[in-house]
């Protein structure tokens, strides 16, 4: 009984690995599972017997991959359940990365004959409050697949003029109303953040890449959209717990770093220094300007203006 349970756990783990990326070699799977390539071949046959379409290919770039099935594999979903689940996930695609992970797993096994129905139905779902930026589900899925399969992606982007961008996609990050792609820009030789709703002509290419050391995706994107895209960036020392300040400022507006002892650092950006100051003032906490130097002068000017206004109150 112990051996049977161990085999079942290993086969389920193998299925999970096959859903994580496009192609695995036998030795790679054997190393991850701690078994021989022969055992991997037997476990693959067990998955096939259960209805999972595991494909095998030889040569350079070959290996095992989980292909789209002609029928939904047993113990997953029937056709109606698969369509309902996919449409629900697409309709709530702005809710976070967990939704996208579930959608990419479903996409891996969704039969071709159901994809057209899912696409047609998802286009009929809208949000009445306008809380989510319009985004093409096919674009989101194309980028998600490229991240999962570690293949280059191409697209056109407003800031690059007519030149298409070539990137190694790393992660999709949800922030409030929008989705962002963190990717390594091959032409600029650096990490970049892109708004998915601004992309056009999005495609995944056949060239695979070896993932390079990457920054923390969520932190990088948050810092980028909160400060780097603006003309002015500023840092403040705020005398209040980070948890309190985070509850007051949207994640897309500032990065809040806990410094302990009921203090935190706030990093934000704006097109106008006075605008930045007013937003920190209305938080209601004591604060100090760390940088830039000219922001200190703007503090004095603003303070004199406010004191002058108060002097006329009887």
């Amino acid at each position: 009984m112990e051996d049977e349970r161990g085999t079942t756990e290993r086969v389920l783990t193998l299925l999970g690995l096959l859903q994580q990326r496009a192609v695995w070699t036998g030795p790679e799977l054997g190393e991850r599972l701690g078994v021989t390539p022969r055992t991997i071949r037997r476990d693959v046959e067990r998955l096939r017997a259960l209805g999972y379409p595991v494909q095998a290919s030889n040569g350079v770039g070959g290996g095992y991959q989980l292909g789209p099935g002609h029928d939904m594999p047993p113990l997953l979903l029937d056709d109606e359940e698969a369509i309902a689940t996919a449409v629900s996930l697409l309709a709530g695609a702005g809710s976070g990365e967990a939704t996208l992970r579930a959608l990419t797993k479903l996409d891996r096994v969704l039969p071709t004959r159901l994809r057209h129905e899912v696409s047609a139905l998802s286009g009929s779902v809208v949000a009445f409050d306008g809380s989510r930026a319009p985004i093409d589900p096919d674009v989101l899925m194309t980028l998600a697949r490229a991240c999962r399969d570690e293949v280059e992606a191409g697209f056109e982007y407003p800031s690059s003029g007519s030149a298409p961008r070539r990137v190694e996609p790393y992660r999709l990050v949800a922030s409030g109303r929008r989705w962002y792609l963190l990717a390594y820009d091959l032409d600029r030789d650096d990490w970049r953040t892109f708004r998915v709703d601004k992309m056009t002509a999005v495609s995944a290419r056949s060239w695979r890449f070896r993932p390079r050391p990457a920054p923390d995706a969520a932190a990088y994107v948050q810092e980028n959209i909160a400060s780097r895209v603006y003309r002015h960036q500023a840092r403040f020392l705020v005398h209040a717990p980070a948890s309190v300040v985070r509850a007051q400022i949207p994640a897309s507006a500032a990065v809040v770093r806990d410094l302990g002892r009921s203090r935190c650092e706030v990093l934000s950006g704006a097109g106008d220094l006075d605008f930045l100051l007013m937003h920190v003032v209305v938080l209601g906490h004591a604060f100090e300007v760390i940088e830039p130097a000219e922001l200190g002068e703007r503090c004095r000017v603003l303070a004199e203006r406010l004191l002058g206004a108060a002097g006329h109150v009887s």
Side-chain angles (χ1 to χ4, degrees):
M1 182 66 68
E2 185 66 33
D3 289 342
E4 290 181 7
R5 184 163 60 247
T7 299
T8 300
E9 292 174 353
R10 188 180 66 245
V11 170
L12 290 174
T13 303
L14 172 61
L15 177 60
L17 290 173
L18 291 172
Q19 289 177 329
Q20 288 179 15
R21 79 182 201 199
V23 180
W24 292 85
T25 66
E28 285 176 331
L29 290 171
E31 182 178 354
R32 291 292 293 268
L33 298 174
V35 297
T36 64
R38 182 179 179 182
T39 300
I40 293 297
R41 288 194 294 270
R42 286 201 297 262
D43 288 348
V44 165
E45 289 302 322
R46 291 185 175 98
L47 287 175
R48 288 170 175 164
L50 290 171
Y52 292 92
V54 183
Q55 301 169 354
S57 57
N58 298 319
V60 178
Y64 296 103
Q65 60 181 324
L66 189 62
H70 296 293
D71 299 294
M72 294 299 294
L75 304 180
L76 286 180
L77 302 167
D78 60 29
D79 287 3
E80 291 184 358
E81 292 170 334
I83 293 173
T85 301
V87 171
S88 298
L89 289 169
L90 286 169
S95 61
E97 294 185 28
T99 298
L100 191 59
R101 288 199 303 271
L103 188 56
T104 53
K105 287 184 178 180
L106 183 60
D107 172 74
R108 171 64 77 184
V109 297
L110 195 66
T112 303
R113 58 187 168 79
L114 299 184
R115 294 177 189 272
H116 301 297
E117 295 184 56
V118 169
S119 179
L121 287 173
S122 63
S124 302
V125 179
V126 296
F128 72 88
D129 60 357
S131 60
R132 184 156 50 93
I135 186 170
D136 186 342
D138 289 337
V139 169
L140 195 64
M141 286 307 306
T142 296
L143 294 172
R145 293 188 198 106
C147 292
R148 178 192 65 197
D149 299 341
E150 298 173 354
V151 296
E152 291 183 17
F155 52 87
E156 295 179 5
Y157 203 68
S159 64
S160 58
S162 59
R165 306 297 279 262
R166 299 183 309 115
V167 303
E168 295 176 354
Y170 179 61
R171 288 287 187 276
L172 281 162
V173 178
S175 177
R177 299 176 59 247
R178 298 187 176 94
W179 279 96
Y180 296 86
L181 174 70
L182 174 61
Y184 192 86
D185 193 313
L186 294 170
D187 295 316
R188 290 155 181 79
D189 197 27
D190 198 6
W191 292 97
R192 290 288 190 271
T193 297
F194 304 95
R195 268 180 54 176
V196 175
D197 59 298
K198 288 188 174 182
M199 297 179 180
T200 57
V202 178
S203 64
R205 305 186 175 187
S206 58
W207 297 293
R208 297 189 64 191
F209 62 87
R210 182 183 298 274
R212 60 185 78 221
D216 179 270
Y220 187 93
V221 171
Q222 184 194 11
E223 185 170 335
N224 187 74
I225 63 178
S227 64
R228 294 177 187 167
V229 296
Y230 295 102
R231 177 184 175 189
H232 298 290
Q233 291 82 42
R235 289 195 301 140
F236 302 90
L237 173 63
V238 179
H239 294 269
S243 59
V244 173
V245 177
R246 287 195 186 104
Q248 295 178 289
I249 307 177
S252 59
V255 177
V256 181
R257 296 170 177 157
D258 189 359
L259 299 180
R261 296 186 298 174
S262 295
R263 301 183 310 159
C264 62
E265 180 182 282
V266 174
L267 172 66
S268 188
D272 182 82
L273 288 175
D274 287 352
F275 183 83
L276 273 173
L277 275 177
M278 289 305 299
H279 270 66
V280 178
V281 168
V282 297
L283 294 177
H285 311 297
F287 71 93
E288 302 166 30
V289 173
I290 300 176
E291 62 178 12
E294 60 264 33
L295 194 55
E297 177 60 29
R298 294 308 304 168
C299 281
R300 283 186 284 272
V301 171
L302 187 60
E304 291 173 0
R305 189 180 304 162
L306 292 172
L307 286 173
H312 295 287
V313 178
S314 57

